[in-house]
Amino acid sequence: MTRQLCWPLVFLATTLPTLSSLAHADDPIAALQTAAVTTNKASWGHWGPNPDKYSSWTSHSNRLIPIYTFGGELSRVTGANSVYRDAAALQKLYGYMPTQTLNPQADYCDQTDVYRLQKWAAESGKQRIVLFVFDGMDWQTTRAAAIARSHAVSYETGRGTGLAFQDYRGAPSDYGYFVTSPHNEGTNTDVNLQRVANPGGKLLGGYNAELCGPAPWGPIADTKYPIGTSDALKHAYTDSASSATSMTC
């Protein structure tokens, strides 16, 4: 995801093509996916904790999200400068100390750092700052697309190669990943009064790298954790729309 303003897509049509109409005979991957979506079963893989369903994750989750920058570096918010390595910074970010979230080895940043990167770019004199948000395109789907295009497994970790935004070097480029955990889940709000009734919510946010992985390509120790149903530890997880809001304000 190239993090730098996004614009709405407007469909000027009353109907859209169905999945089956897009699964051409000369596209076996589309045919496999269409069958999996239709039956919610796939012998070749599954998404989420239930191996009997093609997808038992049907919303955003607490997984780490890839970020690609062009014309800027991520070092101000990743690695040694990650907010997730600093207890005081974590307390300030969340407004409380999130459970089992402090990680002295964290390389990832936070979704709110995407806004900071844009702010710093403006302060440094950048005149054109563009943010692209590819909803639903995490590390696994990016890798799958790269494999489909190249007909080869070219990487197992990291940024990877094979797609235009992975390979583009028309400007200095950097790669990382960030946490999208919200402040909480279950806050009561009054839209008419523009008030938050219980800012503490019912379930607090946070990110546990031991349960969900220190990088997006790593194994997930607890497949229920990313959607807040773990028996070991529950953290709130956000929706993609509110996560995108956090990147921009």
Side-chain angles (χ1 to χ4, degrees), residues 158-189:
R159 175 178 183 141
T161 60
L163 302 177
F165 62 88
Q166 293 174 309
D167 300 337
Y168 180 76
R169 295 297 186 275
S173 184
D174 204 355
Y175 170 78
Y177 29 94
F178 61 91
V179 174
T180 63
S181 180
H183 177 276
N184 74 82
E185 177 183 297
T187 294
N188 291 329
T189 60

Side-chain angles (χ1 to χ4, degrees), residues 135-203:
D135 195 8
M137 192 183 73
D138 63 3
W139 188 88
Q140 282 74 17
T141 51
T142 299
R143 178 171 178 263
I147 291 172
R149 183 174 185 180
S150 65
H151 304 289
V153 179
S154 59
Y155 64 96
E156 299 287 346
T157 62
R159 175 178 183 141
T161 60
L163 302 177
F165 62 88
Q166 293 174 309
D167 300 337
Y168 180 76
R169 295 297 186 275
S173 184
D174 204 355
Y175 170 78
Y177 29 94
F178 61 91
V179 174
T180 63
S181 180
H183 177 276
N184 74 82
E185 177 183 297
T187 294
N188 291 329
T189 60
D190 189 316
V191 176
N192 294 321
L193 295 177
Q194 292 290 290
R195 290 179 180 174
V196 176
N198 63 326
K202 298 178 181 178
L203 180 63

Side-chain angles (χ1 to χ4, degrees), residues 209-248:
E210 292 185 0
L211 296 181
C212 208
W217 51 83
I220 297 178
D222 186 342
T223 55
K224 293 183 177 181
Y225 171 80
I227 54 173
T229 58
S230 170
D231 295 326
L233 173 66
K234 291 180 175 64
H235 277 145
Y237 65 100
T238 193
D239 177 74
S240 55
S242 52
S243 181
T245 302
S246 294
M247 299 177 203
T248 54

Side-chain angles (χ1 to χ4, degrees), residues 5-102:
L5 299 172
C6 76
W7 52 91
L9 283 175
V10 179
F11 290 97
L12 300 178
T14 56
T15 59
L16 295 175
T18 62
L19 280 173
S20 58
S21 68
L22 297 176
H24 302 295
D26 59 349
D27 191 340
I29 294 177
L32 282 170
Q33 189 174 35
T34 299
V37 170
T38 301
T39 62
N40 202 21
K41 292 183 180 295
S43 60
W44 44 267
H46 65 277
W47 193 245
N50 188 346
D52 295 326
K53 290 185 178 181
Y54 172 58
S55 178
S56 50
W57 282 351
T58 56
S59 67
H60 193 94
S61 68
N62 223 9
R63 302 201 63 185
L64 295 170
I65 300 298
I67 173 174
Y68 306 82
T69 63
F70 302 91
E73 295 183 354
L74 292 170
S75 58
R76 293 180 69 173
V77 295
T78 59
N81 293 318
S82 170
V83 66
Y84 288 89
R85 294 192 184 195
D86 187 327
L90 266 182
Q91 176 80 36
K92 182 178 179 181
L93 175 66
Y94 282 86
Y96 56 86
M97 179 53 67
T99 305
Q100 298 179 33
T101 297
L102 184 66

